[in-house]
Amino acid sequence: MSASVSPECTPLKHEYDSCFNAWFEGYLEPAVAASASSKEREAYSTKKAEEFQQKCGKIWESYRLCVQKAVKEKGLDKLLQQAREEHPLTEPPPNPTQPGQSS
Amino acid sequence: MHFFSQAFNYDHSWSHVVIGMWHKYPNPKCSHVVSIDVLDRSVDPKTGIIRTERVLGCKQKAPGWIVKLFGGSEDAFVREISFVDPATQNATITSVNLSLSQFATCFEQIRYSPVSPHRTAFIQTAEIQARMALWRSAADGLEKWLVQRFEQNAHLGKLGFTDVLQTLGEERQHSPS
């Protein structure tokens, strides 16, 4: 697992990454399978989103606080703010190869 | 503007590749990536789409002239936004440089999508663009500053030389030839 930008956050980051990876590895394949109907997908997604919060929410909070401080200290907060304003990227980018869309 | 693109297939299932996405670094073959931090992550309870915002710290020696001209250092940071959509089996990663972004942007997009149960397509595109508007305003500012300095110096030059000529004239008047 890669280090955090700040050595003091690295142990928290590793714990958070392990938590996410364990959750994600259990999440992904059933999520693909559950995508056959939108009802099934929503039920599964809601359940797993809650589970993620339950399992990793606490370590995420500690890690987040640590990394936020580090980002500020490195002067990255302003650059990030600018980047977010320029490209919010709140939605997945459109798929140019998807059928039905002009290329 | 410069473009880059490449595409190929990995001989692994989409889910294997997408799980692997989170294990890519640290990587001895990509040792320039030295840190990764998650800044934000959400799991959409309706669509199941996972959105992650990360910041990557890279160490890469820039050519001397770039460092001289733009400042900059060995440490460069990149903002990365990824979406994993299990319903459409698309994973996208968009990256933009944070460092030196006032001069140029490198906008990279990666997409992983299944070709078959055991093959995954990888498509990567990048647009590299210098910020011309900023260049122009910087060049304009530089020119204005140069003109001002030139005017000031020309003015002072005139005053200075007038003094010299005057003093010289007085000396010559007072000394017997």
Side-chain angles (χ1 to χ4, degrees):
Chain A
M1 261 180 276
S2 0
S4 167
V5 68
S6 162
E8 63 170 323
C9 305
T10 298
L12 293 171
K13 183 210 137 78
H14 285 175
E15 200 184 324
Y16 170 72
D17 276 355
S18 303
C19 189
F20 170 74
N21 285 336
W23 174 84
F24 184 72
E25 282 160 34
Y27 167 79
L28 192 59
E29 281 187 16
V32 172
S35 294
S37 84
S38 61
K39 220 176 178 174
E40 196 187 339
R41 180 178 68 193
E42 196 175 324
Y44 180 77
S45 303
T46 306
K47 188 182 90 183
K48 294 303 269 186
E50 275 169 20
E51 184 195 282
F52 177 52
Q53 174 58 29
Q54 241 167 42
K55 285 189 169 165
C56 308
K58 212 172 159 193
I59 180 64
W60 165 241
E61 215 33 58
S62 317
Y63 168 51
R64 192 176 68 91
L65 287 174
C66 191
V67 80
Q68 267 180 352
K69 188 167 151 259
V71 156
K72 223 175 193 163
E73 279 168 6
K74 301 248 167 207
L76 291 171
D77 52 337
K78 286 203 182 84
L79 290 172
L80 277 165
Q81 202 44 48
Q82 237 173 359
R84 285 174 185 144
E85 277 163 24
E86 200 163 342
H87 300 286
L89 298 166
T90 46
E91 298 289 325
N95 188 348
T97 58
Q98 212 145 53
Q101 283 187 339
S102 59
S103 52
Chain B
M1 177 122 74
H2 286 74
F3 294 95
F4 169 87
S5 72
Q6 65 169 343
F8 47 84
N9 294 332
Y10 286 109
D11 290 324
H12 295 283
S13 70
W14 180 77
S15 57
H16 185 75
V17 170
V18 174
I19 285 167
M21 249 170 63
W22 308 113
H23 296 274
K24 187 173 171 187
Y25 304 107
N27 191 316
K29 292 209 167 80
C30 311
S31 57
H32 61 283
V33 177
V34 292
S35 74
I36 298 184
D37 281 288
V38 178
L39 300 177
D40 188 43
R41 181 171 270 146
S42 60
V43 183
D44 191 310
K46 273 205 164 67
T47 60
I49 295 174
I50 300 171
R51 178 188 185 272
T52 306
E53 180 179 34
R54 305 196 297 180
V55 63
L56 281 70
C58 309
K59 262 200 200 316
Q60 210 150 32
K61 279 221 163 70
W65 69 270
I66 290 186
V67 176
K68 267 186 204 143
L69 199 58
F70 302 111
S73 68
E74 258 193 46
D75 295 316
F77 292 94
V78 172
R79 173 179 177 243
E80 178 205 88
I81 306 289
S82 62
F83 292 93
V84 176
D85 185 354
T88 65
Q89 292 189 75
N90 269 284
T92 58
I93 307 173
T94 307
S95 309
V96 189
N97 60 305
L98 292 173
S99 306
L100 300 181
S101 56
Q102 67 271 43
F103 301 113
T105 53
C106 178
F107 192 90
E108 183 204 40
Q109 242 172 30
I110 287 172
R111 180 181 300 273
Y112 296 104
S113 54
V115 186
S116 73
H118 305 288
R119 292 196 118 193
T120 302
F122 165 90
I123 304 166
Q124 180 185 33
T125 59
E127 297 169 16
I128 295 144
Q129 188 171 28
R131 290 194 196 257
M132 290 317 285
L134 246 141
W135 279 115
R136 226 166 272 141
S137 75
D140 206 44
L142 180 65
E143 281 179 5
K144 275 187 190 147
W145 180 78
L146 284 170
V147 168
Q148 275 175 11
R149 282 302 292 268
F150 191 86
E151 280 173 359
Q152 274 170 18
N153 289 342
H155 181 62
L156 292 173
K158 183 186 164 210
L159 292 179
F161 196 42
T162 304
D163 289 350
V164 169
L165 291 179
Q166 177 124 22
T167 314
L168 189 67
E170 283 163 10
E171 278 170 13
R172 282 165 58 109
Q173 258 177 15
H174 294 133
S175 62
S177 52

